[in-house]
């Protein structure tokens, strides 16, 4: 069972995404941004990237350093639609995919499978 760290400030969105992941068989550790100690044994990080600017790229870089080897999926309300990891925007941020908020359970789970299938 893969372990996912979910970093989302919106409590309702965090609960919904955690429920989708749990129902799909993933172990979920839900955190707020700026959590003091990284969680051990993480296979995937899903994190809010609110502005899609340079500061978010730094945030993703910090997440990758805290969770080495774990791909990062970004969530943003600034997107009109979700973008694959091959998109210019996702590559600039260093994420495996960028999901628009709100996204569907299907979009989320497909991105999770895509991101984790390349690392496992």
């Amino acid at each position: 069972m893969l372990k996912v760290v979910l970093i989302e400030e919106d409590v309702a969105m965090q609960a919904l995404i955690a429920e989708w992941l749990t129902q799909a068989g993933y172990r979920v550790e839900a955190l707020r941004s700026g959590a003091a100690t990284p969680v051990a044994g993480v296979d995937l990080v899903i994190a809010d990237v609110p502005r899609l600017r340079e500061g978010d790229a730094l945030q993703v870089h910090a997440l990758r350093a805290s969770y080495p080897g774990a791909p990062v999926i970004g969530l943003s309300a600034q997107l009109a639609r979700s973008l694959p990891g091959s998109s210019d925007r996702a590559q600039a941020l260093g994420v495996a995919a960028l999901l628009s908020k709100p996204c569907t359970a299907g979009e989320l789970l497909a991105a999770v499978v895509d991101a984790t299938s390349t690392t496992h």
Side-chain angles (χ1 to χ4, degrees):
M1 181 185 305
L2 296 178
K3 187 173 187 177
V4 178
V5 164
L6 172 60
I7 303 168
E8 171 61 57
E9 293 303 309
D10 182 301
V11 176
M13 183 65 68
Q14 186 183 64
L16 180 62
I17 292 171
E19 182 178 327
W20 289 342
L21 292 168
T22 302
Q23 287 178 351
Y26 298 97
R27 287 183 300 146
V28 179
E29 182 76 34
L31 305 173
R32 303 288 287 207
S33 63
T37 307
V39 177
V42 172
D43 299 296
L44 175 69
V45 177
I46 300 174
D48 186 35
V49 286
R51 292 169 301 282
L52 298 175
R53 295 186 186 140
E54 186 176 323
D56 288 328
L58 295 174
Q59 172 192 346
V60 171
H61 179 73
L63 287 171
R64 294 172 74 73
S66 295
Y67 301 100
V72 177
I73 294 175
L75 300 167
S76 181
Q78 299 298 313
L79 294 170
R81 64 180 176 84
S82 296
L83 301 172
S86 60
S87 71
D88 291 341
R89 212 169 212 181
Q91 288 183 355
L93 287 172
V95 295
L98 270 172
L99 300 179
S100 65
K101 290 196 304 190
C103 64
T104 66
E107 282 179 302
L108 175 74
L109 296 175
V112 168
V113 168
D114 287 348
T116 57
S117 67
T118 60
T119 60
H120 292 92

